[in-house]
Amino acid sequence: MALPANSPRRVPTTLKQLIEQTPAIPSMSTAVLEVLRLAGDPDSSASHLADAISVDAALAARVLRLANSAYYGLPREVATVQDAVTLLGRATVRSVAMLAASYPWFDAEDEATAECNLWEHAVGVAAGAEVIVRRIDRRLADEAFCAGLLHNIGMSVIVRWAADKVPTLIQFSVQKKLSFHETEKLVFGYNHMEVGSALGADWNLPPRLLDCIAMHHEPSKLARTSLLVDAVHVADYLCKALGIGLGAENFTIQVDTSSMDRLGLTNPNDLTRVQADLMSRFRSASELLELT
Amino acid sequence: MDVIRLERGQTRTVHDADSVQADWIGSGVAFVVYEARRKRGFVAHVLQTDWEHRGSPTAPPPALEDLKGWLDETGASPSEVRAVVAGGAQPLNAGEDPRLRPGEGLSRAVTTGLRSLGIDHICEDTGGSMGRSLKLNCRNGVVDVVQGQGSSTTHFRLGG
């Protein structure tokens, strides 16, 4: 399939070139990477985590703003990062930091990413993965939120080059009954999962989060299936069904029902209940993030 | 002319100078009911979650109750109005698994509900694997249903 002739520039032909030549890929701040590391380290203290956040003033300010929002429903004002860690807990602070740090990748003010509705989708899948995982293992709910936020970072790079080609790619996918990521692979030589994985590996993201980026469309291809990957996969589908983030790949996805089975979502009513919780969580997150 | 944005799960009445648009319709369903003679209409974006949680899976979506109220209040005749129903998309591999076909039942519930109110002039653009947006120009009764981020557009003329 030929790329549209009106393209202002050709999409780089290798994954390496894509990442090197994309001018506006935000880097993952070292503060956020340290927060991710410390939140998973049982030997670290709350003050270590607070110190790691406070190193980045913009991150600290955003963490405080989010911590004081209705979404987290804390009984009193959070005045310091240390307070936020104490009141919210380390796992939730990891989610808050991730949320604060993710925005630049899906910046709604960037025309291409706004058109593709990527930020809304990231928040929707984060909310959905959290809701799904909370039913099974509450301890992993915050990590699931982070995984949902990050799953499509590769798409944020691709659309910076190819937003104008998205309608053609969608139409091609439907005609050929290919998933959008299969069409990406055919047309560009790589797909958004591979792009995201390369970025995530470069940032030294934890392996479980990398799996969610790399396998969110093919959860059963993992050597050992993962609760987080299954949750992100199903949350992705539920968001598409609700119209949350149809912008980039639209509804050209193949859903792996084995993931639903592994999550205990064996009939339509189970899914609808989860979807209702997802929608409720997403709406409160949207108010918080001024998405609506 | 400003375009009124209809959010997910919302209903709205519109009048002659209005233009209203429902975006990001996935497995959910948006519908327009338009009375050409008085250039007025009713628009809704129904989600699966708004519907199933009313109890019985065969119950009409709640937006149809609002529509009934609009018909009663305005005196619009169901036999004169025309409707467009759009949405109900599903993933590429929907197959026969009901977990992957939520839009199908919702589309059917909406069209059945419209018919139960006496509305028989119904055009449909439902199913498939592309999300949609729907726009009504109330001045001329033209409804545009855009699929897949502009991959294709279907025009419906409800204005007589």
Side-chain angles (χ1 to χ4, degrees), chain A residues 35-113:
Chain A
V35 169
L36 284 176
R37 191 186 69 75
L38 288 172
D41 176 359
D43 296 328
S44 71
S45 67
S47 50
H48 284 141
L49 192 54
D51 289 347
I53 294 169
S54 301
V55 163
D56 183 333
L59 176 66
R62 199 154 166 83
V63 164
L64 283 177
R65 192 172 79 78
L66 293 173
N68 279 304
S69 69
Y71 188 72
Y72 290 103
L74 292 175
R76 67 177 174 84
E77 188 185 356
V78 179
T80 66
V81 174
Q82 177 76 53
D83 274 355
V85 176
T86 307
L87 291 167
L88 291 171
R90 291 194 307 174
T92 301
V93 165
R94 172 170 55 185
S95 301
V96 174
M98 202 73 248
L99 195 54
S102 299
Y103 184 76
W105 300 323
F106 305 112
D107 186 354
E109 289 169 17
D110 178 276
E111 198 178 327
T113 52

Side-chain angles (χ1 to χ4, degrees), chain A residues 72-240:
Chain A
Y72 290 103
L74 292 175
R76 67 177 174 84
E77 188 185 356
V78 179
T80 66
V81 174
Q82 177 76 53
D83 274 355
V85 176
T86 307
L87 291 167
L88 291 171
R90 291 194 307 174
T92 301
V93 165
R94 172 170 55 185
S95 301
V96 174
M98 202 73 248
L99 195 54
S102 299
Y103 184 76
W105 300 323
F106 305 112
D107 186 354
E109 289 169 17
D110 178 276
E111 198 178 327
T113 52
E115 209 169 281
C116 292
N117 213 14
L118 295 182
W119 178 229
E120 188 183 56
H121 185 61
V123 175
V125 175
E130 181 195 294
V131 163
I132 290 167
V133 168
R134 193 176 291 285
R135 299 165 74 247
I136 296 166
D137 187 344
R138 297 178 66 88
R139 294 168 304 171
L140 294 178
D142 288 295
E143 194 172 353
F145 187 89
C146 291
L149 270 181
L150 289 172
H151 81 284
N152 247 3
I153 50 171
M155 188 71 88
S156 78
V157 176
I158 287 184
V159 301
R160 281 163 211 262
W161 288 91
D164 60 321
K165 299 175 183 65
V166 165
T168 310
L169 298 180
I170 292 169
Q171 197 166 38
F172 182 89
S173 299
V174 170
Q175 282 169 359
K176 302 289 182 189
K177 289 205 174 296
L178 294 174
S179 298
F180 191 82
H181 69 272
E182 292 170 325
T183 298
E184 286 174 323
K185 185 84 176 171
L186 206 62
V187 174
F188 303 133
Y190 43 76
N191 62 41
H192 66 277
M193 297 133 77
E194 291 168 332
V195 176
S197 298
L199 279 178
D202 201 35
W203 297 334
N204 287 319
L205 286 180
R208 289 202 298 202
L209 293 182
L210 281 178
D211 281 347
C212 292
I213 295 168
M215 304 304 287
H216 68 268
H217 285 303
E218 297 172 327
S220 293
K221 287 191 177 172
L222 273 170
R224 291 182 60 188
T225 56
S226 150
L227 169 60
L228 291 179
V229 178
D230 282 336
V232 169
H233 177 72
V234 174
D236 190 17
Y237 162 56
L238 295 180
C239 282
K240 301 283 187 195

